Amino acid sequence: MKKIKLLLLIILTFVTFSYSQTSDSLSNKDFIIIKAVGDTMLGSYTPKRILPPKDGNEFVESVGNLLKDADIVMCNLEGSFVKEDFKPVKKGSGKVFNFGMPYYLAQTLRNLGFNVVSFNNNHVLDYGYEGYEFTKTLLKSMNINYATREDFAVIEVKGKKVAVVAFGFNGGKYRITDIENAKKEVSQLKSKYDIVIVSFHGGAEGKSALHVRNQTEYFLGENRGNVVEFARGVVDAGADLVIGHGPHVLRAVEIYKGKLIAYSLGNFLTYGNFNLKGYNGIGGILEVVLTKDGKFIKANFIPTKQISFGIPVYDESKQAIQLLNQLGKEDFPNSYYHFKSED
């Protein structure tokens, strides 16, 4: 019996040491590091003209260093890049939010380190297909990959091919409301690519939408999908990582069948025309480490908050980590991912 206990102790020590070595060696060639952030809008001509005074350099100076040291750096691009003479497409009644970022700020996106964007949300057509197609052309010229309403992105990382596919709730090929088709699309991607990352835009909005419910959510009368059923469904179909956007606030993060699901990364950099009070101004950078065959190793969350019109800065109080852990305990008590607060 003593020999068996000794053997178990040796095995446990070896496993713990191996995991520790894996966790600490984030630059190891055998691992793929993803840094993902929430909604990103670098200023806009409309509905109110609010543009960064230093052409976006203040964003790079503020958080550029926090986005380094990753193989994939991605965001949800909330709106299109446009020229000043482009016309927004009016929609709905009452106050209309059309987001059109000056095209020259695309360079800031690149300077921040982003190499892929999720471009399937309810603002990508604010300037019609003129702004939509122009944005894709501009991103391509800067070697920034994009996952859109009708196509996915492929990035080669350390000899592996990573597919990034984005689902939205208002039209296009990839719809969060059509879960069976979503599972089919993800399954097909997984059969061709080493790692599949799913981004989705769904769920209700605002401070009343902090909690995740396993039910269909509506906002302004619009079906925003059942994000739990969707996220778990695409994991069942082969997704290695699922990252949500849309509510404009942080939501819980869980582990489902060994895969990480972040239900909303909130607002990260939303300069101008956004409500940044309270929970709306709290965000951060989700850092995920995967093996080269897509196995989840660990995650970290770098807390940020937005100041002024929407400049992200590191949050010393780490409100985001506290909020994520609290929401996780409440919404997914048996499966939430607990983020550690670095010393």
Side-chain angles (χ1 to χ4, degrees), residues 27 34 75 241 281:
S27 61
I34 299 108
C75 70
L241 173 65

Side-chain angles (χ1 to χ4, degrees), residues 118-132:
S118 176
F119 195 50
N120 184 2
N121 57 63
N122 55 324
H123 288 289
V124 299
L125 292 177
D126 282 0
Y127 277 70
Y129 281 95
E130 180 183 27
Y132 180 68

Side-chain angles (χ1 to χ4, degrees), residues 143-173:
N143 294 317
I144 299 176
N145 301 278
Y146 44 82
T148 66
R149 291 157 50 95
E150 66 283 322
D151 205 0
F152 57 91
V154 177
I155 309 168
E156 189 161 339
V157 180
K158 296 174 181 173
K160 297 294 182 178
K161 289 186 177 180
V162 180
V164 180
V165 59
F167 291 82
F169 54 76
N170 54 340
K173 179 180 179 181

Side-chain angles (χ1 to χ4, degrees), residues 2 4 19 32 35 65 67 73 77 122 193 229 269 286 291:
K2 290 183 178 180
I4 294 175
Y19 180 80
I32 291 176
K35 285 189 175 180
N65 63 311
L67 292 165
V73 184
L77 191 60
N122 55 324
Y193 299 97
E229 186 180 2
L269 195 175
L286 175 67
T291 63

Side-chain angles (χ1 to χ4, degrees), residues 30-312:
D30 294 324
F31 300 96
I32 291 176
I33 304 167
I34 299 108
K35 285 189 175 180
V37 303
D39 297 326
T40 301
M41 189 193 69
L42 307 170
S44 182
Y45 288 123
T46 54
K48 185 178 180 180
R49 185 187 179 99
I50 302 179
L51 307 178
K54 294 169 64 178
D55 290 347
N57 288 331
E58 57 266 63
F59 305 140
V60 180
E61 294 167 359
S62 178
V63 292
N65 63 311
L66 301 179
L67 292 165
K68 292 180 178 179
D69 303 321
D71 302 300
I72 295 174
V73 184
M74 58 187 291
C75 70
N76 173 59
L77 191 60
E78 193 82 350
S80 296
F81 286 110
V82 300
K83 293 183 177 179
E84 195 162 5
D85 60 349
F86 285 16
K87 302 298 180 185
V89 176
K90 298 296 180 183
K91 56 184 179 181
S93 57
K95 190 172 183 179
V96 177
F97 286 89
N98 289 303
F99 298 140
M101 295 171 281
Y103 72 93
Y104 57 82
L105 291 177
Q107 182 59 54
T108 300
L109 203 65
R110 185 68 211 183
N111 292 345
L112 280 165
F114 292 105
N115 57 7
V116 62
V117 301
S118 176
F119 195 50
N120 184 2
N121 57 63
N122 55 324
H123 288 289
V124 299
L125 292 177
D126 282 0
Y127 277 70
Y129 281 95
E130 180 183 27
Y132 180 68
E133 295 297 333
F134 177 78
T135 300
K136 291 195 294 182
T137 300
L138 185 59
L139 292 172
K140 186 175 182 180
S141 72
M142 295 192 170
N143 294 317
I144 299 176
N145 301 278
Y146 44 82
T148 66
R149 291 157 50 95
E150 66 283 322
D151 205 0
F152 57 91
V154 177
I155 309 168
E156 189 161 339
V157 180
K158 296 174 181 173
K160 297 294 182 178
K161 289 186 177 180
V162 180
V164 180
V165 59
F167 291 82
F169 54 76
N170 54 340
K173 179 180 179 181
Y174 302 112
R175 301 185 304 279
I176 188 175
T177 52
D178 189 346
I179 294 175
E180 288 308 310
N181 181 66
K183 291 164 68 175
K184 178 183 175 183
E185 295 290 345
V186 170
S187 179
Q188 290 177 348
L189 288 174
K190 188 58 180 178
S191 69
K192 299 175 182 177
Y193 299 97
D194 300 295
I195 293 175
V196 176
I197 299 174
V198 170
S199 170
F200 73 83
H201 198 82
E205 294 185 17
K207 63 181 181 179
S208 61
L210 282 166
H211 289 283
V212 181
R213 303 278 194 281
N214 191 354
Q215 63 188 40
T216 300
E217 297 183 57
Y218 294 87
F219 187 73
L220 300 178
E222 191 170 36
N223 184 340
R224 298 289 182 91
N226 180 327
V227 297
V228 175
E229 186 180 2
F230 169 83
R232 292 179 175 179
V234 294
V235 168
D236 289 339
D240 298 294
L241 173 65
V242 182
I243 299 172
H245 309 283
H248 296 295
V249 290
L250 290 170
R251 281 184 160 188
V253 177
E254 75 160 335
I255 296 292
Y256 173 73
K257 292 187 177 179
K259 305 296 183 179
L260 188 125
I261 301 173
Y263 283 97
S264 174
L265 294 184
N267 294 325
F268 174 67
L269 195 175
T270 48
Y271 194 86
N273 294 298
F274 266 68
N275 172 17
L276 298 177
K277 294 180 181 178
Y279 293 121
N280 295 64
I282 301 171
I285 302 167
L286 175 67
E287 180 184 52
V288 180
V289 182
L290 304 178
T291 63
K292 291 171 76 173
D293 59 357
K295 288 185 175 63
F296 173 72
I297 297 296
K298 64 173 291 187
N300 177 44
F301 201 83
I302 304 170
T304 62
K305 62 181 179 180
Q306 293 191 72
I307 60 174
S308 183
F309 285 111
I311 300 174

